[in-house]
């Protein structure tokens, strides 16, 4: 992994020592459109923050003013991160003090069950034997025989279909005016899907959404090799290390065909027009100064009506504040 600045000197991601695929979504969209449409310095996206150096942490909290993190990784990914952190014996905690962490498993456990049922009976039996003995090998089995064959566009569509309570929670967790960062492991697929939905809510031109999504591919050979190693480690094909050309158009077409558009889908999962308008107030430029917007909390409870305890599986959501985990 990236632990020193020297490893990043020759890449376009040399702003940080150990954080890759980082960008200000508003700034990215505005630069592409050539005009200021979205507020900058409020919504950020990146790959995992586990390897952030001390200087990275200071930059996140003091330069960018990050107050909250929405972490979309699974329990297995967190366990792997903890093991790696312990092995490297880093003197920095995994969590950055002063930042509130909301962990929302995406795709949700219901989606994981859907993937399990895509396996043959033999592989289901094999998975059940492997899981208590070697979780990584069990996950690799699902990745190889169920997740990989789906492909990235189909993965996104099935995530929308089978993880709607988690998606509603993710969007509701964005309803505050303070700067926040969304990330998964590579900051590419789950983060890209959630960012895509947010930009659709903001009526962002599709070309700008596509541009933001594919910026993940604008990396050095070093970072690309790291992504390849990560997808191979969990049994996924090499294609999962890059963005997919059909992803954005596939999601939009599916939303149109199935729900009559993004608004119909969001209504169905409980993220209604009132919440969508609040998100626009937070992120769209409407004559309000960006600094004032950061200080204005127009958020609501992160648990939406559609994401009640009856909809979410136990452990799908965790709120972590100052390193202390509290289940919701």
């Amino acid at each position: 992994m990236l632990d020193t600045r020297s490893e990043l000197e020759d890449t376009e991601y040399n702003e940080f020592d150990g954080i890759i695929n980082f960008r200000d979504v508003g700034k990215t969209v505005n630069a592409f459109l050539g005009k200021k449409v979205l507020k900058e310095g409020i919504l950020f996206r990146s790959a995992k923050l586990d390897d952030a150096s001390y200087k990275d942490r200071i930059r996140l909290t003091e330069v960018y003013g990050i107050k909250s993190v929405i972490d979309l990784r699974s329990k297995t990914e967190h366990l792997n991160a903890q093991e790696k952190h312990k092995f490297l014996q880093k003197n920095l905690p995994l969590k950055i003090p002063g930042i509130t962490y909301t962990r929302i498993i995406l795709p949700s456990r219901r989606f994981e069950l859907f993937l399990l049922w895509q396996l043959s009976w033999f592989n289901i039996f094999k998975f059940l034997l492997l899981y208590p003995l070697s979780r990584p090998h069990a996950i690799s089995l699902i990745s190889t025989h169920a997740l990989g064959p789906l492909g990235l566009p189909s993965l996104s569509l099935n995530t929308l279909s089978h993880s709607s309570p988690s998606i509603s929670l993710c969007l509701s967790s964005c309803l505050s005016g303070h700067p926040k960062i969304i990330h998964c492991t590579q900051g590419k697929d789950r983060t890209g899907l959630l960012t895509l939905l947010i930009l659709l809510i903001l009526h962002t031109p599709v070309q700008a959404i596509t541009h933001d999504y594919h910026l993940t591919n604008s990396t050095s050979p070093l970072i690309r090799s790291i992504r390849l190693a990560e997808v191979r480690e969990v049994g996924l094909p090499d294609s999962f290390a890059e963005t997919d050309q059909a992803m954005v158009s596939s999601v939009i077409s599916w939303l149109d065909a199935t729900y009559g558009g993004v608004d119909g889908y969001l209504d169905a999962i409980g993220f209604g027009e009132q919440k969508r308008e609040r998100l626009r107030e937070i992120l769209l430029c409407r004559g309000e100064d960006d600094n004032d917007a950061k200080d204005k909390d127009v958020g609501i409870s992160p648990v939406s009506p559609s994401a009640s305890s009856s909809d979410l599986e136990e452990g799908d959501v965790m709120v972590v504040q100052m390193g202390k985990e509290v289940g919701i």
Side-chain angles (χ1 to χ4, degrees):
M1 289 298 159
L2 303 173
D3 296 311
T4 63
R5 181 170 296 276
S6 62
E7 292 179 274
L8 285 173
E9 281 179 350
D10 296 328
T11 81
E12 60 270 44
Y13 290 103
N14 59 7
E15 181 180 5
F16 292 100
D17 294 331
I19 302 174
I20 62 176
N21 209 6
F22 176 92
R23 53 188 174 273
D24 179 335
V25 176
K27 188 173 182 179
T28 297
V29 169
N30 291 342
F32 178 81
L33 295 175
K35 57 183 177 180
K36 195 166 184 181
V37 176
L38 305 186
K39 294 174 183 175
E40 300 178 5
I42 298 179
L43 179 65
F44 300 86
R45 56 177 293 183
S46 76
K48 61 185 182 296
L49 306 179
D50 302 343
D51 298 319
S53 68
Y54 177 75
K55 287 190 290 185
D56 290 344
R57 294 161 186 245
I58 294 298
R59 188 164 187 81
L60 285 177
T61 55
E62 296 189 6
V63 176
Y64 289 109
I66 302 295
K67 300 295 184 184
S68 64
V69 169
I70 302 172
D71 185 340
L72 307 177
R73 293 178 295 172
S74 68
K75 184 177 181 180
T76 299
E77 289 172 292
H78 280 280
L79 290 173
N80 290 341
Q82 292 166 9
E83 287 299 316
K84 179 197 167 189
H85 196 74
K86 191 185 304 181
F87 175 77
L88 294 176
Q89 297 180 334
K90 292 191 174 183
N91 58 1
L92 294 172
L94 271 172
K95 305 295 185 297
I96 302 173
I99 290 180
T100 298
Y101 287 75
T102 302
R103 283 169 44 185
I104 303 175
I105 296 175
L106 192 71
S108 67
R109 297 192 179 192
R110 292 184 180 182
F111 180 78
E112 292 172 355
L113 287 174
F114 163 78
L115 288 177
L116 183 62
W117 287 110
Q118 306 310 301
L119 300 177
S120 67
W121 285 109
F122 173 77
N123 280 326
I124 290 175
F125 181 69
K126 188 176 178 180
F127 172 86
L128 294 175
L129 285 178
L130 278 174
Y131 193 79
L133 301 174
S134 176
R135 184 193 293 254
H137 285 91
I139 298 301
S140 181
L141 182 71
I142 286 187
S143 297
T144 301
H145 296 284
L147 192 55
L150 276 179
L152 288 173
S154 184
L155 168 62
S156 295
L157 302 186
N158 279 284
T159 298
L160 290 169
S161 180
H162 295 284
S163 303
S164 55
S166 294
I167 289 174
S168 182
L169 261 174
C170 290
L171 293 171
S172 292
S173 296
C174 295
L175 294 179
S176 66
H178 58 252
K180 62 189 63 64
I181 185 166
I182 303 168
H183 80 84
C184 48
T185 293
Q186 296 187 344
K188 179 173 67 74
D189 303 312
R190 289 165 288 183
T191 300
L193 178 61
L194 189 57
T195 304
L196 186 158
L197 288 174
I198 291 171
L199 292 178
L200 286 177
I201 292 170
L202 303 179
H203 306 304
T204 308
V206 174
Q207 296 91 334
I209 297 174
T210 303
H211 170 73
D212 173 75
Y213 171 67
H214 288 301
L215 273 181
T216 295
N217 291 341
S218 302
T219 59
S220 69
L222 169 64
I223 295 176
R224 189 173 294 109
S225 68
I226 292 171
R227 291 209 308 264
L228 277 170
E230 288 176 340
V231 300
R232 290 170 179 173
E233 184 179 6
V234 296
L236 289 170
D238 289 356
S239 59
F240 273 63
E242 304 290 335
T243 59
D244 191 286
Q245 291 295 324
M247 202 282 266
V248 174
S249 60
S250 294
V251 168
I252 293 174
S253 295
W254 182 83
L255 291 171
D256 289 342
T258 310
Y259 291 93
V262 66
D263 288 346
Y265 172 76
L266 295 171
D267 286 338
I269 70 171
F271 196 78
E273 179 56 32
Q274 183 180 8
K275 293 180 182 179
R276 298 197 292 271
E277 183 56 29
R278 288 188 181 185
L279 192 61
R280 294 181 194 114
E281 289 176 7
I282 294 164
L283 295 174
L284 283 177
C285 289
R286 290 177 168 174
E288 183 178 33
D289 184 77
D290 281 4
N291 292 325
D292 292 339
K294 290 181 185 179
D295 296 331
K296 180 182 177 183
D297 187 352
V298 295
I300 61 172
S301 169
V303 181
S304 69
S306 68
S308 65
S309 58
S310 63
D311 293 320
L312 290 163
E313 301 292 337
E314 182 179 357
D316 269 349
V317 186
M318 300 287 287
V319 171
V320 187
Q321 191 166 19
M322 298 294 287
K324 181 179 179 182
E325 297 188 358
V326 183
I328 292 181

